[in-house]
Amino acid sequence: MIIKPPEAPDTLINDIFAYIESEAAKEPARGYVGASSIGHECELYLWLKFRHPEKAAPRKAKLILAANDGHSSEDIAAAYLRQMPGIELTTLNTDRKQHGFSRLDGQYKGHLDGIIKGIPQAPVTPHIWENKSCNEKKFNDLQNKIEKYGSKAALEQWNYQYYCQAVVNMHHFEINRHYMTVWLAGNRDLITLRTEANPGLAEQLKNKADRVRKYEVPPFGISTNASFYKCKKEFCEFAEKCPSIHPELKGLYV
């Protein structure tokens, strides 16, 4: 009988992950309520992210890598789109900066991937363009939502935060259509969907951002129950410092 000797673990993996996490920790806090998160159902989460981002748990390497995959997917998607006949895609404004808006004294901001024109369903209509990347489970769920609700209603049913981001960006850029490219992670498959403007909701979300930025003390969270799944650390970066879940920590936010 041959006994295989134990192999030494590759510590380089841990070193790489530690480096990724340490570099991410150096990134400056946003300092504003973002359009990408304004659809989050917990105003306490939004307030903590705006006023006390330092209370968030450090991001783990695998989540950072997933986000990086999304960023690289955006570049790849833009390159493909620009090769398509009739497509006009701008990802930078006249100042060579990312398209964005700023409201409420600079404390409510949003940025978008681009503005696209020439898509087959509406060739002369400009659309806000956003690109997303997701795992196979979420990708298949989106396909099911499109089959059930139709392309224009699917985004709201699939990911409400993405829907709110789309609505807000359309409103502030005065563009009434939104076009999203959604890639299976690694750019292995593609779904597209269009969404229509919802100015009423956009105004509600602006009011929500105004409310969040003005809170002097923590607002109520969505739950006071540490067992509630959305309030567990797997789902909320503020779970361990949440004053709704841990009322003894309220003194941290006075």
Side-chain angles (χ1 to χ4, degrees):
M1 178 178 178
I2 299 176
I3 300 176
K4 184 179 179 180
E7 296 182 9
D10 186 351
T11 58
L12 184 58
I13 296 174
N14 292 335
D15 292 342
I16 291 172
F17 281 12
Y19 171 78
I20 291 170
E21 291 169 359
S22 65
E23 288 299 299
K26 297 176 185 177
E27 296 176 5
R30 281 184 169 183
Y32 58 85
V33 181
S36 61
S37 58
I38 193 61
H40 198 288
E41 63 185 303
C42 182
E43 291 195 9
L44 175 55
Y45 170 86
L46 292 171
W47 183 82
L48 289 168
K49 199 171 181 68
F50 171 60
R51 286 197 178 260
H52 294 281
E54 75 283 356
K55 303 299 184 186
R59 288 189 295 158
K60 296 296 184 181
K62 289 185 179 181
L63 289 177
I64 298 167
L65 290 170
N68 291 345
D69 183 59
H71 295 317
S72 61
S73 169
E74 179 186 329
D75 294 335
I76 293 169
Y80 285 145
L81 286 167
R82 288 190 171 109
Q83 295 302 313
M84 299 299 102
I87 293 293
E88 299 175 21
L89 174 65
T90 62
T91 53
L92 301 175
N93 61 25
T94 54
D95 295 325
R96 307 299 298 169
K97 295 180 180 179
Q98 187 180 18
H99 293 290
F101 73 84
S102 177
R103 301 288 187 273
L104 305 177
D105 302 318
Q107 293 182 329
Y108 179 43
K109 296 183 180 181
H111 300 87
L112 51 91
D113 296 338
I115 298 173
I116 191 169
K117 189 175 179 181
I119 66 171
Q121 302 96 315
V124 300
T125 304
H127 288 61
I128 300 292
W129 174 61
E130 291 288 343
N131 184 79
K132 303 294 183 184
S133 177
C134 63
N135 61 32
E136 188 170 7
K137 181 179 179 180
K138 292 181 179 178
F139 189 85
N140 291 337
D141 183 46
L142 174 56
Q143 187 64 64
N144 291 335
K145 292 291 192 297
I146 291 173
E147 292 173 1
K148 183 175 181 179
Y149 299 101
S151 174
K152 289 185 178 181
L155 182 57
E156 181 179 6
Q157 300 297 326
W158 180 59
N159 189 306
Y160 189 69
Q161 246 179 263
Y162 288 171
Y163 174 69
C164 289
Q165 181 184 16
V167 163
V168 165
N169 283 332
M170 280 187 278
H171 186 63
H172 288 289
F173 278 85
E174 298 182 349
I175 293 176
N176 293 324
R177 295 292 183 271
H178 185 276
Y179 185 70
M180 181 176 283
T181 47
V182 181
W183 296 86
L184 178 60
N187 294 84
R188 291 179 289 132
D189 202 352
L190 173 65
I191 293 173
T192 66
L193 63 161
R194 297 170 66 214
T195 304
E196 297 182 340
N198 187 339
L201 176 58
E203 282 296 325
Q204 291 176 28
L205 293 168
K206 180 183 176 182
N207 293 337
K208 180 181 179 181
D210 193 29
R211 188 166 61 245
V212 167
R213 74 183 182 118
K214 289 178 177 177
Y215 286 131
E216 294 295 332
V217 296
F220 291 109
I222 57 173
S223 177
T224 58
N225 183 359
S227 298
F228 181 50
Y229 78 98
K230 291 183 179 180
C231 294
K232 292 183 177 181
K233 63 182 181 179
E234 294 87 350
F235 298 96
C236 180
E237 61 201 283
F238 295 103
E240 296 180 345
K241 298 289 180 67
C242 175
S244 277
I245 299 298
H246 306 287
E248 70 277 7
L249 299 179
K250 286 185 177 179
L252 293 174
Y253 304 105
V254 175

